Amino acid sequence: MRRSRVMAVLAAGGFAVAGCSAPGPAEVTFYGDGHTINVAPIGNCDIKSGVCSANPGATGKLKVRPGRSVQISVPKEIAETPWKVTVQYVNGKGEPQPLKEDIITSRDRYAYTATPPAKDDQIVVVEIAQASVISRTGDPNDAEAVTTALWSLQVQPA
């Protein structure tokens, strides 16, 4: 009986300590061709403190066949801010195509599907950029969007 009380106290203490720690950077989920990967940001900045961190090793890798889409799912902390999707493709001959960029500002969109323009086109890179809107003077008329976090997915042909 005493041992179970000690375990319960230790478990409760662990939850209390865990609840006090700051959450890590948000992860973005990429899904394509039957495979899923969660990706941490390769770069992340805290606007309030001005502290930025880089983690280039966080780049995700996913195998996807030509012509297949990549679905993106973002958590609440990204969906409630402006975010941008940038998709790079190559055509069936392997020639780079113009980047496709979409800016999401609805503040309630949690998903996006990147679809190649043609059935033999291959998605090669998908990036998500989270933005914060700041004004250096405090005047909303001179506010600008600044990228505060970036997630990157490298797509490998399957």
Side-chain angles (χ1 to χ4, degrees):
M1 179 74 133
R2 181 180 175 144
R3 183 176 174 189
S4 62
R5 277 193 221 161
V6 171
M7 295 302 282
V9 169
L10 288 174
F15 286 124
V17 171
C20 294
S21 63
E27 290 187 342
V28 171
T29 302
F30 295 95
Y31 172 83
D33 215 358
H35 306 283
T36 302
I37 186 170
N38 292 330
V39 178
I42 60 172
N44 192 26
C45 293
D46 182 330
I47 290 290
K48 292 178 184 174
S49 69
V51 175
C52 295
S53 61
N55 184 9
T59 298
K61 292 179 175 49
L62 198 61
K63 290 187 178 189
V64 179
R65 290 176 285 175
R68 299 292 178 129
S69 299
V70 172
Q71 296 171 334
I72 302 149
S73 178
V74 301
K76 181 178 181 178
E77 50 269 49
I78 297 170
E80 291 182 342
T81 65
W83 53 289
K84 178 173 78 170
V85 179
T86 304
V87 183
Q88 181 181 0
Y89 304 89
V90 293
N91 64 17
K93 298 176 185 175
E95 301 165 334
Q97 300 300 297
L99 295 177
K100 180 179 182 195
E101 296 182 328
D102 281 319
I103 297 173
I104 315 298
T105 59
S106 64
R107 298 186 185 259
D108 65 353
R109 187 166 172 190
Y110 290 79
Y112 181 92
T113 301
T115 304
K119 66 179 180 175
D120 61 343
D121 288 349
Q122 174 73 56
I123 296 174
V124 292
V125 177
V126 180
E127 290 188 336
I128 306 299
Q130 181 181 27
S132 292
V133 179
I134 63 168
S135 169
R136 298 184 196 284
T137 64
D139 181 354
N141 293 321
D142 71 354
E144 60 183 294
V146 176
T147 298
T148 53
L150 183 67
W151 294 261
S152 184
L153 175 72
Q154 306 294 312
V155 178
Q156 302 164 338

